[in-house]
Amino acid sequence: MARSLYEWLWQHEFWLPPGITWEDMQESEDTHYPQPRDLLLSIPFALILVVIRCAFERAIALPLSTKLGVRDKQRPKAQPNPVLETFYNTRRKNPEEGELLSLAKQCELPVRKVEKWFRRRRNMDRPSLSKKFSEACWRFTFYVISFFTGLAVLYDKPWLWDHRECWTGYPQQPLQPSLFWYYMLELSFYWSLVFTLPFDVKRKDFKEQIVHHAATIFLISFSYCANYIRIGTLVMVIHDASDCFLEPTKMFNYMKWKKTCDSLFMIFSAVFLISRLVIYPYTVLYNTYYYSMEIFQPFFGYYFVNVLLIILQLLHVFWSCLIIHMVYKFILQGTMEKDMRSDTEESDKDEERAKIREKEKNGITYFSNVTSNGYIQRNGSEPLNNRAHLANGHAKER
């Protein structure tokens, strides 16, 4: 059954233009075509990148973060408590009200102290600024190397300047060593991101990151197997161009260099919008959809690769809308909107609110000032200086 599936999957009608079979793609001593087995090399290369990353972060990124003034916030530690620790690790990290009451009874602690324990325990699991800086520093280093590697590989290639050359002789386009190693570099990097996902900074879009990495690996692998190498190199170098500006923006944000961070974000926004909404559609989408038909008639692989590239463009549009929204807010308010993917650290100010709620339960209640419609609005979370205090059942007006 496995052999039947293999034979069905590799039918030349799926992968090659009409009139071309796998016999026409036979290799010789001087000619090498992409082979699916080559992709297996990306796994050991990815492990090597993980080792390089660990050494880079420890020897370069962390000392650099200290010299540049990145300071980790001192967080109060949660006191050891086996019952709460077991619940935290096996059930959930943010218990509901009923669960808090049950845990408070088991530990013989006030509910407020149990809430504070979970709040501090969650903060202990949040990554430090130095870890975030080190991760951004590593990605920035890689994207710069990858982008200039792509330019060095492609600058003398005819398809970088004349996009019709992407299809000249397709699919019998020999694989050059420089293109092979460029592909391995990109594919190995995204495999390394998959391997380090459990240890990387977890943001609110963690699941989306997994989908993104999987889709990227699939796209690179498919374009290699189908010998869309030329179009694939254009896609990779276009994407790396904007990523080179995104990571240093994060780094300056962690350094609290607000003006530099805002300036870099504006540059990143311009590069992203131009590269993803202008250059990519013309260089890639129009190329694969229109120019390719000058060489061969449409077939399954033609439709499939165009669908994948269009899906990628839809993601570009989605992210562009978010970026435009942030730029719009920046122009109006003069400050950059917070990254909604980041996880917000909880403050012990919540403890003060808990004390207020505890006092209310003991019969001491706070009221806000009289509202404009003549009603008295009760709101336990309003500032104390706006409240009237009740004592002995009588309101003292202020």
Side-chain angles (χ1 to χ4, degrees):
M1 182 176 179
R3 183 175 181 81
S4 300
L5 179 62
Y6 178 84
E7 292 177 353
W8 175 83
L9 178 63
W10 292 104
Q11 294 182 70
H12 63 266
E13 291 87 357
F14 290 165
W15 298 85
L16 303 175
I20 303 294
T21 64
W22 291 117
E23 285 72 19
D24 300 319
M25 302 290 293
Q26 294 296 324
E27 295 184 330
S28 64
E29 293 183 359
D30 300 328
T31 304
H32 177 67
Y33 295 112
Q35 301 295 328
R37 64 176 179 270
D38 298 339
L39 300 176
L40 296 176
L41 292 173
S42 63
I43 303 300
F45 290 159
L47 296 177
I48 294 174
L49 279 179
V50 172
V51 174
I52 294 174
R53 172 183 174 176
C54 293
F56 174 86
E57 291 185 352
R58 178 171 297 185
I60 299 177
L62 279 176
L64 182 63
S65 68
T66 302
K67 291 184 178 181
L68 294 177
V70 178
R71 298 288 181 266
D72 294 332
K73 184 178 180 180
Q74 296 296 325
R75 300 166 176 167
K77 295 183 178 181
Q79 296 296 324
N81 190 308
V83 175
L84 300 182
E85 188 69 31
T86 301
F87 185 93
Y88 182 87
N89 292 322
T90 60
R91 297 286 298 279
R92 66 178 72 190
K93 299 181 178 181
N94 196 355
E96 298 178 354
E97 184 175 354
E99 294 169 330
L100 285 172
L101 293 173
S102 176
L103 291 170
K105 290 180 180 179
Q106 293 181 45
C107 300
E108 298 181 352
L109 293 172
V111 175
R112 181 173 59 82
K113 288 191 175 181
V114 176
E115 288 179 327
K116 182 171 71 173
W117 188 94
F118 277 96
R119 181 168 59 251
R120 291 184 173 181
R121 184 65 181 83
R122 288 192 295 269
N123 285 339
M124 287 172 60
D125 281 350
R126 290 187 171 89
S128 61
L129 280 181
S130 59
K131 178 175 175 57
K132 293 180 179 180
F133 179 91
S134 299
E135 182 178 308
C137 189
W138 162 251
R139 297 195 184 198
F140 167 66
T141 303
F142 174 83
Y143 287 134
V144 169
I145 293 174
S146 178
F147 176 67
F148 285 102
T149 299
L151 292 181
V153 168
L154 294 176
Y155 83 97
D156 61 344
K157 302 298 186 293
W159 62 86
L160 179 64
W161 315 105
D162 183 2
H163 305 321
R164 284 183 169 87
E165 290 293 327
C166 287
W167 309 108
T168 301
Y170 179 84
Q172 295 169 306
Q173 297 173 337
L175 178 63
Q176 301 176 21
S178 59
L179 299 178
F180 168 79
W181 288 111
Y182 181 42
Y183 250 73
M184 286 299 106
L185 176 66
E186 291 278 354
L187 184 57
S188 300
F189 175 71
Y190 283 100
W191 271 121
S192 71
L193 293 183
V194 172
F195 295 157
T196 58
L197 267 176
F199 313 103
D200 287 344
V201 175
K202 289 183 175 61
R203 302 183 185 274
K204 295 180 180 178
D205 60 349
F206 178 74
K207 295 180 180 179
E208 289 79 359
Q209 286 183 18
I210 297 177
V211 174
H212 173 268
H213 297 340
T216 303
I217 291 172
F218 176 78
L219 282 169
I220 295 176
S221 302
F222 171 77
S223 65
Y224 186 86
C225 293
N227 204 13
Y228 290 110
I229 299 293
R230 296 184 179 184
I231 207 70
T233 54
L234 295 178
V235 173
M236 291 188 295
V237 77
I238 288 172
H239 281 72
D240 287 342
S242 58
D243 291 334
C244 290
F245 293 96
L246 176 60
E247 299 304 328
T249 302
K250 297 178 184 179
M251 293 167 59
F252 283 108
N253 180 44
Y254 303 143
M255 293 161 54
K256 310 298 183 184
W257 292 19
K258 181 171 175 50
K259 292 184 178 180
T260 307
C261 174
D262 292 346
S263 301
L264 272 177
F265 182 81
M266 298 301 291
I267 296 174
F268 159 75
S269 301
V271 174
F272 185 95
L273 296 176
I274 293 173
S275 63
R276 307 292 178 93
L277 299 185
V278 180
I279 298 178
Y280 177 84
Y282 173 71
T283 304
V284 177
L285 292 182
Y286 186 75
N287 190 358
T288 55
Y289 177 77
Y290 181 75
Y291 289 155
S292 61
M293 288 193 294
E294 297 179 354
I295 307 299
F296 54 80
Q297 294 298 316
F299 61 105
F300 175 81
Y302 163 84
Y303 293 113
F304 189 65
V305 73
N306 274 282
V307 168
L308 293 177
L309 293 174
I310 289 174
I311 291 174
L312 189 58
Q313 178 61 16
L314 293 178
L315 292 174
H316 294 165
V317 173
F318 171 75
W319 287 110
S320 296
C321 291
L322 297 181
I323 291 172
I324 292 172
H325 175 74
M326 294 181 69
V327 171
Y328 177 74
K329 288 288 186 180
F330 174 75
I331 294 175
L332 289 183
Q333 301 176 2
T335 181
M336 195 61 63
E337 194 177 51
K338 180 184 173 183
D339 184 2
M340 298 304 295
R341 299 182 309 147
S342 299
D343 197 7
T344 304
E345 184 165 340
E346 298 171 84
S347 170
D348 278 343
K349 290 181 179 179
D350 296 333
E351 184 177 354
E352 298 177 4
R353 300 188 185 100
K355 290 180 180 178
I356 294 173
R357 290 195 297 269
E358 187 176 354
K359 289 181 180 179
E360 289 176 349
K361 291 179 181 178
N362 293 331
I364 303 176
T365 312
Y366 295 91
F367 285 86
S368 62
N369 287 334
V370 177
T371 57
S372 58
N373 58 8
Y375 290 92
I376 297 179
Q377 180 183 3
R378 183 184 179 188
N379 189 340
S381 61
E382 290 292 322
L384 291 175
N385 57 4
N386 290 333
R387 297 171 183 159
H389 181 253
L390 273 187
N392 301 325
H394 299 284
K396 295 182 180 179
E397 296 183 358
R398 290 184 180 181

